[in-house]
């Protein structure tokens, strides 16, 4: 699992800071999460192949999370894209994008599929044989969802020497990987544990931006591998959290601790601050394993 931060700041884009957008590589997917202004440029800077993006997840309709979308949708067309593009976003986004395209006389040659979200409870919005994606309802000034990306349980690993020794026919390898006992060529039942090893633990990524401190998300993100939680403010500006419905670094760390996640990544920093070290040190008073997101930074979780 690999996460590339294209932008991790709140509010307006500047020379040194981009609004929210991330690429999550999980199994064979390349998911784009949020699409703030400038995302296309950052995709190019980070050498992301546009054609590999098939699914885009938009948390909410504040501009710093989707103002780059109509441009990207148009660029896909100019690049003669043919593959379907699926966009998961709050209800209303389809109207916005289609109106922008209509008034500019634009269209797409590829199927553009909107999945509009309006539920206030967590729901499964994407699934295939390797991955599932759930919404994480957040509390913000407008309707907002985070997203939980989960690898499905991995297959058991064959020990090829033991399998050969046990005289098991290749035709049964698939069943072994799925955890079944199988008969060998001599008709003897071979127990699965004798010839396979435990699978790699499956990984998960929870994206939570933007939100006020909200313990209701804890059961949804419990024990996840990596949590990205917004930390717009430092402690000294905590009084701004309630009116703006954002969080501090320490509040993000409290959620990480209570949800027993492995790693916390902070981001969505207010541009009022000069550096980010204080976000980390304040969070680490509550939770140890804290990473700072930074535009153009890639995190590998193997
Ligand atoms: Zn924001
Ligand atoms: Zn917002």
């Amino acid at each position: 699992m690999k996460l590339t931060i294209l932008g991790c700041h709140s509010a307006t884009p500047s020379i040194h800071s981009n609004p929210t957008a991330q690429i999550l590589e999980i199994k064979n997917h390349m998911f784009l999460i949020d699409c703030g202004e400038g995302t296309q440029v950052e995709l190019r800077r980070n050498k992301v192949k546009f054609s590999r993006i098939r699914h885009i997840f938009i948390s909410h309709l504040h501009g710093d999370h989707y103002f780059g979308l109509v441009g990207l949708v148009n660029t896909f067309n100019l690049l003669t894209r043919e593959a379907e593009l699926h966009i998961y976003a709050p209800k209303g986004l389809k109207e916005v994008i289609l109106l922008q395209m209509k008034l500019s006389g634009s269209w797409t040659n590829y199927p553009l599929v909107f999945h509009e979200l309006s539920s206030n409870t967590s729901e499964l919005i994407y699934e295939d044989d390797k991955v599932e994606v759930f919404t994480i309802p957040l509390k913000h000034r407008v309707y907002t969802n985070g997203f939980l990306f989960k690898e499905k349980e991995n297959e058991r690993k064959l020990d090829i020497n033991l399998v050969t020794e046990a005289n098991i026919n290749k035709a049964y390898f698939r069943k072994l990987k799925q955890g079944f006992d199988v008969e060998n060529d001599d008709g003897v039942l071979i127990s699965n544990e004798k010839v396979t090893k435990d699978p790699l633990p499956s990984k998960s990524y929870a994206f939570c931006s933007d939100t006020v401190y909200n313990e209701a998300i804890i059961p949804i993100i419990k024990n996840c591998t990596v949590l990205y939680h917004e930390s717009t403010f430092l402690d000294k500006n905590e009084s701004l959290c309630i009116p703006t419905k954002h969080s501090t670094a320490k509040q993000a760390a409290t959620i990480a601790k209570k949800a027993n996640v492995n790693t916390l990544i902070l981001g969505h920093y207010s541009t009022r601050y000069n550096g980010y070290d204080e976000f980390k040190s304040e969070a680490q008073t509550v939770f140890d394993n804290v990473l700072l997101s930074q535009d153009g930074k890639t995190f590998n979780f193997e």
Side-chain angles (χ1 to χ4, degrees):
M1 190 169 76
K2 183 172 155 188
L3 180 70
T4 301
I5 308 292
L6 303 172
C8 63
H9 295 81
S10 61
T12 53
S14 75
I15 294 174
H16 301 294
S17 62
N18 291 291
T20 304
Q22 308 184 345
I23 286 281
L24 177 70
E25 289 171 63
I26 183 168
K27 294 296 180 185
N28 288 329
H29 290 288
M30 198 166 242
F31 291 134
L32 175 62
I33 308 168
D34 278 348
C35 189
E37 201 177 334
T39 297
Q40 289 193 61
V41 178
E42 294 311 309
L43 285 169
R44 290 195 190 280
R45 202 192 306 282
N46 289 279
K47 301 190 167 44
V48 176
K49 257 191 141 185
F50 281 32
S51 61
R52 288 206 53 206
I53 299 172
R54 305 260 167 132
H55 302 270
I56 301 177
F57 299 84
I58 301 291
S59 62
H60 65 300
L61 298 187
H62 280 156
D64 57 326
H65 296 259
Y66 88 101
F67 276 180
L69 188 59
V70 73
L72 186 61
V73 165
N74 271 283
T75 297
F76 281 148
N77 201 46
L78 294 172
L79 296 175
T80 62
R81 179 191 180 101
E82 287 178 2
E84 285 183 1
L85 179 67
H86 293 264
I87 301 177
Y88 307 79
K91 192 165 170 36
L93 181 90
K94 179 178 177 180
E95 193 185 339
V96 173
I97 297 293
L98 293 186
L99 180 63
Q100 284 179 299
M101 292 177 64
K102 182 178 150 199
L103 296 182
S104 64
S106 312
W107 66 90
T108 64
N109 283 324
Y110 58 90
L112 183 57
V113 186
F114 290 92
H115 304 261
E116 292 203 300
L117 307 173
S118 56
S119 172
N120 288 311
T121 52
S122 178
E123 56 180 341
L124 178 68
I125 52 171
Y126 176 78
E127 180 178 23
D128 61 24
D129 55 340
K130 297 255 165 62
V131 179
E132 308 178 292
V133 186
F134 297 87
T135 55
I136 308 169
L138 299 175
K139 275 195 189 157
H140 192 43
R141 303 194 304 279
V142 294
Y143 176 75
T144 304
N145 287 297
F147 301 102
L148 174 65
F149 302 85
K150 280 175 94 168
E151 290 178 357
K152 286 190 174 172
E153 207 166 296
N154 291 311
E155 291 186 324
R156 297 190 64 78
K157 284 203 169 309
L158 294 187
D159 184 319
I160 204 69
N161 291 331
L162 294 176
V163 168
T164 315
E165 255 172 49
N167 204 19
I168 298 170
N169 194 297
K170 263 190 184 166
Y172 290 113
F173 285 6
R174 178 113 211 103
K175 286 226 148 227
L176 282 174
K177 286 183 184 173
Q178 291 169 342
F180 294 101
D181 299 338
V182 298
E183 274 188 12
N184 71 2
D185 282 350
D186 311 315
V188 180
L189 189 69
I190 307 291
S191 92
N192 193 285
E193 301 98 76
K194 273 195 179 161
V195 291
T196 67
K197 293 185 200 137
D198 285 343
L200 291 170
S202 45
K203 293 186 266 301
S204 52
Y205 174 64
F207 169 87
C208 295
S209 187
D210 298 355
T211 186
V212 75
Y213 180 80
N214 177 19
E215 292 193 355
I217 67 174
I218 292 170
I220 306 168
I221 63 172
K222 194 94 190 160
N223 302 324
C224 73
T225 319
V226 183
L227 165 66
Y228 173 93
H229 193 292
E230 74 131 284
S231 56
T232 306
F233 299 116
L234 291 171
D235 256 4
K236 61 185 174 201
N237 297 114
E238 193 188 341
S239 61
L240 298 175
C241 286
I242 298 292
T244 62
K245 296 231 169 45
H246 284 300
S247 308
T248 64
K250 208 185 268 182
Q251 289 171 338
T254 306
I255 295 289
K257 187 179 180 184
K258 292 192 174 191
N260 192 38
V261 308
N262 195 294
T263 301
L264 169 66
I265 302 179
L266 298 175
H268 199 267
Y269 316 113
S270 163
T271 43
R272 78 189 57 221
Y273 307 112
N274 287 325
Y276 306 113
D277 291 346
E278 271 183 88
F279 285 89
K280 189 168 182 176
S281 54
E282 287 189 3
Q284 282 183 323
T285 61
V286 177
F287 183 82
D288 267 349
N289 197 7
V290 179
L291 301 172
L292 290 176
S293 57
Q294 197 183 318
D295 297 1
K297 193 166 183 174
T298 293
F299 300 98
N300 273 301
F301 301 99
E302 295 310 333

